[in-house]
Amino acid sequence: MSAKNLKKKKKSKGLLSSNSFGLGSNGSSSIGSSLSSMDDPECIKLFQQLTLDTQTKLNDNLVKNPITKKKSPFQSIRDQQQSSSHSTSCCSSSSKESKETLPFPTITSTHGDFINSCIERLEKGVLLREIEVKQLCNKAIEILSNESNIVRIQSPVTVVGDIHGQFYDVIEMFHIGGPLPLTNYLFLGDYVDRGKHSILTISLLICYKLRWPNRITLLRGNHETRLISKGYGFYNECIENYGNENVWRYFNQLFDYLTVCALIDDKIFCVHGGLSPSITAFDQIRVLDRFGEPGTEGPLIDLMWSDPDPERQGFGSNHSRGCGFLFGGDIVKKFLHFNGAIHMCRAHQLCDAGYKLLFDDQLSTVWSAPNYCYRCGNRASILEIDQDLNMYFNIFEEAPEEAREESNNNNTSRWVGINNKFQVETKANGGNGTPFYDWSQYFI
């Protein structure tokens, strides 16, 4: 296959139109089936009974929840798409044809309602409760454990580099690239640490994975480990917001199941870090045991830590990081040729322009955290790959200050323990710790 065009686009002012269709098989095709084993008829009956009288009985039990007064930033476009799909299916002459016109799978069970509720809260910057995080991580592990070490993905797809807990910049990124499920996404890792909102960031992505498992793929980065996330911010953020390390432990148990590589149309190899002298073929990656803490050396560590070096040939020690290797253009060329690929895409390194091309455009680095650590002043990018494997770097900057201020004024929350019961404090309700009605017990 001939080399494909690599282009850069300026930041879009609005959402990009998208005609994305489903990805290749990168896990469970339906969250409903993976959750069915947890169905409790008594709980569902109770839930249905609770929802019958929403105007009277539930209003006495439920908080006048401030986070439901304002829709999530992406709800209107999803509603519009759902309405359009419903109109299309109603006009269809065949039920089979109407099913095929749906743009994305829908979940009608109570589990889907729970996940939708979590997504709506998270997109507005509201933390989930500890029990909800535990439940979501456990269900996500069921999906992630079925993924191969190299997930095969079909184009079109948008590739996202490091985001490092910069939640409001992630929301801005979805405004640029299009919200799920209207756009297919591949994230290359490093979701936590450094930024101020790692919990919100990883919680939202996990909910997206549960809601639309075939629309989003999550790779493991070097920060999705206990050793690193305990020292670079994620651990302390969990302690500050929940009063204990449980949430940090739940997420790290989930990180142990994240896959490590992806292959777009069998031609574009994607990984967080780089290559390893122990790996020359894709099949060597497929047989690695990725489940668990990766340690400090070995091929898995190399995939998450290694860096390209335009000044060298072959492999060399990566002294600056203390892990992984440096590798030259000759290594990339041989690796791609041997495996029948044409391009390698990775993240892991800060790029002032948001991206970097090396080795005659055979390798690209994507960086998706603008103004990294809120002081570096760099731009960010997402890599959009169309069905012809043309590649476009969509450049964007950090979220507008007013978006951060609005979210901070209305939606930020902190879970605090009071008499062994968790309550939520939000600026929207005056910080009075009004308790939420515990819906989660009826969903999962």
Side-chain angles (χ1 to χ4, degrees), residues 86-106:
H86 178 70
S87 299
T88 303
S89 62
C90 287
C91 296
S92 176
S93 60
S94 167
S95 59
K96 180 178 180 180
E97 291 177 359
S98 65
K99 277 187 176 181
E100 295 174 348
T101 61
L102 291 175
F104 50 84
T106 58

Side-chain angles (χ1 to χ4, degrees), residues 35 102 170 177 209 225 268 317 397 436:
L35 296 175
L102 291 175
V170 173
K209 183 66 177 178
T225 60
I268 299 177
S317 298
E397 297 179 348
F436 278 101

Side-chain angles (χ1 to χ4, degrees), residues 1 13 25 31 83 99 166 170 188 193 219 249 334 370 374 381 410 434 437:
M1 180 178 292
K13 292 184 178 179
S25 55
I31 183 63
S83 177
K99 277 187 176 181
Q166 297 183 198
V170 173
L188 300 180
D193 289 336
L219 303 189
R249 290 193 296 104
K334 292 176 183 177
Y374 313 107
S381 75
N410 295 325
T434 306
Y437 190 75

